[in-house]
């Protein structure tokens, strides 16, 4: 699996390079962080490697985070993997859709490092 030093693997999916850089700053010391810039890149990553938890942006080009969520839940080994939506969209309808999705949690950007780490720790034993 390529897991380094027994750390949990966190896969971050976001088309915003700055967001991915922020994740690296505060997640790398504790987790084996992998980053991809699109849902299709994420799918090819997940075909090769396992991930313990996924951080998912919703508004991405080509395949949205919601489409990715629906797709990944059809893969038996990913039915129960916690997925945390991290998005800048605070619209009411959007939030309702996010809450009703198969995501474990929904966080709003900009997300404070301690809030994100707390959310990850809640789902990773």
């Amino acid at each position: 699996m390529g897991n380094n030093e027994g750390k949990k693997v966190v896969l971050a999916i976001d088309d915003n390079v700055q967001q991915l850089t922020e994740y690296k700053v505060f997640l790398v010391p504790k987790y084996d962080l992998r980053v991809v810039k699109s849902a299709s890149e994420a799918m090819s990553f997940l075909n090769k490697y396992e991930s313990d938890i996924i951080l998912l942006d919703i508004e991405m080009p080509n395949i949205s985070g919601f489409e990715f969520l629906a797709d990944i839940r059809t893969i038996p080994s990913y039915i129960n993997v916690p997925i945390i939506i991290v998005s800048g969209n605070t619209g009411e309808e959007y939030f309702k859709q996010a809450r009703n999705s198969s995501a474990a949690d929904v966080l709003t950007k900009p997300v404070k490092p301690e809030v994100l780490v707390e959310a990850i720790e809640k789902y990773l034993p």
Side-chain angles (χ1 to χ4, degrees):
M1 183 168 104
N3 197 344
N4 72 29
E5 304 148 30
K7 289 180 181 175
K8 298 283 190 182
V9 177
V10 176
L11 175 63
I13 309 164
D14 201 310
D15 60 327
N16 181 327
V17 176
Q18 185 185 341
Q19 182 66 56
L20 293 175
T21 303
E22 284 176 28
Y23 286 155
K24 284 177 189 165
V25 171
F26 52 84
L27 294 178
V28 163
K30 189 165 186 174
Y31 300 103
D32 180 1
L33 178 70
R34 309 298 175 94
V35 297
V36 294
K37 294 184 187 77
S38 71
S40 52
E41 271 184 58
M43 275 305 194
S44 50
F45 174 89
L46 294 171
N47 284 330
K48 292 187 209 92
Y49 310 101
E50 289 177 22
S51 181
D52 296 299
I53 193 164
I54 297 171
L55 305 177
L56 176 65
D57 182 30
I58 293 297
E59 290 163 336
M60 296 183 290
N62 304 321
I63 303 167
S64 80
F66 287 128
E67 290 172 84
F68 172 80
L69 258 175
D71 289 348
I72 195 170
R73 294 306 189 199
T74 65
I75 303 167
S77 56
Y78 281 96
I79 288 171
N80 296 314
V81 169
I83 296 176
I84 299 174
I85 291 174
V86 185
S87 178
N89 189 330
T90 54
E92 200 177 319
E93 277 307 304
Y94 160 83
F95 226 74
K96 200 165 151 187
Q97 187 179 357
R99 284 263 174 243
N100 293 332
S101 73
S102 61
D105 214 336
V106 183
L107 302 176
T108 306
K109 289 179 187 173
V111 63
K112 292 188 178 106
E114 61 273 19
V115 171
L116 183 62
V117 170
E118 192 178 296
I120 292 171
E121 286 174 351
K122 186 162 81 175
Y123 298 104
L124 288 184

